[in-house]
Amino acid sequence: MPIPLIVAGGAALLGAAFGVGRYSRQGEINDLKEKIIELQETIELLESLISKQNDTIRNLKAENKSLNALHFMEKRKLYGRTKGLIIFQYALREYLEFVRLEADGQISVNDSEHTLYDILDRMFYGQEVLIEEKGLIKLHIEKKYPYEIKNLIPLEEEELNVALEGRRVG
Amino acid sequence: MWHWREEELGRIFFFLVGFVLTFLKMLIGAVVVNAIVGFFFMPALYVLVPISIISIVVEAFKGGTERASEFDYGKHFKKQNRKSQKQINKLKGIFKDDELFEFDKAWKQMSRSLD
């Protein structure tokens, strides 16, 4: 039996299956690529938003530091506000990364990441999101960035571009 | 057209399992007892065999209904619902008020700046 022929046939079959699979997703991929271009156009805006938020976070932290232990309720409140802002920043970063991974076909529909992507997508476009869905996002962010969230480390502006492009620019 | 509901199908299945198991158990017992009695006093089987058949059928029905009552679909369903409700409530409580306020505010702020 000509073994090389079987191997070549198998490879051709696999290639054809891959091609068909890829072609069937082509429309979706094109949409996602357009979305990435749109996001790239708005990335500067998003970066300036993060920069402004980082100023707010610095102020909140300074205010928190200036309060003594007797103002524990206020301190708690300030800590909560800072944490909420930081979770938003990392959630935004995660969203941009998900868009890129989705376009690259690295997230399958059955993945839990796809659920998170769906929720973040709705949040990004200002659509209705349930409180439990927001809870899921918080759980994911805290699990993925435990050190940053616990120590209230804000996101660096250029991280957004890295998430979207998949590499450091410059 | 009559459609079986999942609950009814579950009960029937559990009933049949209980019925068959008890039936076989009783049948084996009755055959052993009847064989021993028949070996020593054959005429007794005229009474013993009908009584055995009646008791096998009655016990099999009892076994079936007992097994069917074990399948309480409503209870099972409620238990599952309670579990998922508990998980949903847990997710709802994950965000503290201040965190959530700032988190939501940031998304709105972003949407506004993108418009």
Side-chain angles (χ1 to χ4, degrees):
Chain A
M1 195 74 183
I3 293 170
L5 207 69
I6 294 171
V7 172
L13 211 67
L14 272 175
F18 179 77
V20 168
R22 186 89 186 157
Y23 185 74
S24 65
R25 274 197 81 230
Q26 201 53 52
E28 195 189 330
I29 290 169
N30 289 344
D31 288 346
L32 284 162
K33 279 184 179 161
E34 269 176 39
K35 199 173 186 175
I36 288 180
I37 293 167
E38 266 176 44
L39 288 169
Q40 277 167 339
E41 284 164 6
T42 56
I43 203 90
E44 276 180 31
L45 213 64
L46 293 174
E47 279 177 350
S48 75
L49 179 79
I50 294 291
S51 171
K52 274 181 206 161
Q53 280 181 354
N54 286 351
D55 291 338
T56 312
I57 289 168
R58 262 192 296 277
N59 290 338
L60 285 169
K61 277 182 173 176
E63 203 179 332
N64 196 351
K65 216 173 174 182
S66 69
L67 292 170
N68 61 32
L70 284 172
H71 296 92
F72 64 93
M73 287 293 279
E74 272 178 64
K75 276 174 93 73
R76 214 182 131 117
K77 205 172 173 161
L78 287 170
Y79 176 82
R81 286 182 59 195
T82 316
K83 196 173 170 184
L85 262 180
I86 289 171
I87 292 171
F88 160 79
Q89 293 188 334
Y90 284 92
L92 182 61
R93 186 206 181 283
E94 204 64 0
Y95 172 67
L96 297 176
E97 195 172 352
F98 279 153
V99 174
R100 176 174 54 83
L101 293 175
E102 177 85 357
D104 290 348
Q106 290 181 44
I107 300 178
S108 93
V109 182
N110 300 325
D111 283 350
S112 59
E113 284 171 340
H114 200 272
T115 312
L116 295 169
Y117 167 69
D118 273 345
I119 299 170
L120 286 168
D121 196 52
R122 277 185 280 136
M123 289 183 100
F124 190 83
Y125 290 104
Q127 290 167 5
E128 188 75 18
V129 174
L130 297 171
I131 179 101
E132 47 267 33
E133 290 177 321
K134 289 175 190 171
L136 262 182
I137 297 295
K138 187 189 171 188
L139 267 185
H140 173 73
I141 297 296
E142 282 186 326
K143 203 174 167 189
K144 193 164 176 188
Y145 307 98
Y147 180 79
E148 288 84 348
I149 303 298
K150 201 179 170 193
N151 296 294
L152 303 179
I153 298 170
L155 190 81
E156 286 174 27
E157 294 88 336
E158 57 267 27
E159 279 292 311
L160 293 182
N161 211 354
V162 176
L164 193 62
E165 304 276 341
R167 64 194 149 81
R168 284 200 176 269
V169 181
Chain B
M1 177 99 181
W2 177 257
H3 291 286
W4 290 104
R5 283 185 301 153
E6 210 175 324
E7 185 180 349
E8 286 161 340
L9 281 174
R11 279 184 191 280
I12 288 167
F13 176 72
F14 269 64
F15 174 81
L16 287 175
V17 169
F19 185 89
V20 170
L21 286 178
T22 318
F23 187 87
L24 290 174
K25 189 176 78 181
M26 292 294 291
L27 187 69
I28 293 165
V31 166
V32 172
V33 171
N34 282 305
I36 294 168
V37 174
F39 181 75
F40 293 105
F41 188 60
M42 189 69 169
L45 291 183
Y46 288 108
V47 178
L48 211 55
V49 170
I51 289 174
S52 298
I53 292 169
I54 292 167
S55 57
I56 287 169
V57 173
V58 170
E59 282 301 313
F61 266 102
K62 264 173 71 182
T65 46
E66 267 172 33
R67 192 56 77 100
S69 68
E70 279 174 25
F71 179 79
D72 194 336
Y73 186 80
K75 213 172 169 181
H76 172 74
F77 189 69
K78 272 180 202 161
K79 205 173 166 184
Q80 264 194 337
N81 255 1
R82 266 205 303 273
K83 206 174 167 187
S84 59
Q85 193 57 46
K86 218 172 164 182
Q87 278 171 335
I88 289 172
N89 287 343
K90 203 176 161 191
L91 280 174
K92 276 182 186 168
I94 274 178
F95 257 117
K96 306 262 185 329
D97 287 346
D98 298 319
E99 289 170 14
L100 187 63
F101 171 75
E102 209 62 45
F103 183 76
D104 283 342
K105 201 173 109 185
W107 283 109
K108 279 178 198 152
Q109 211 173 5
M110 189 202 69
S111 294
R112 271 201 304 272
S113 65
L114 289 179
D115 283 340

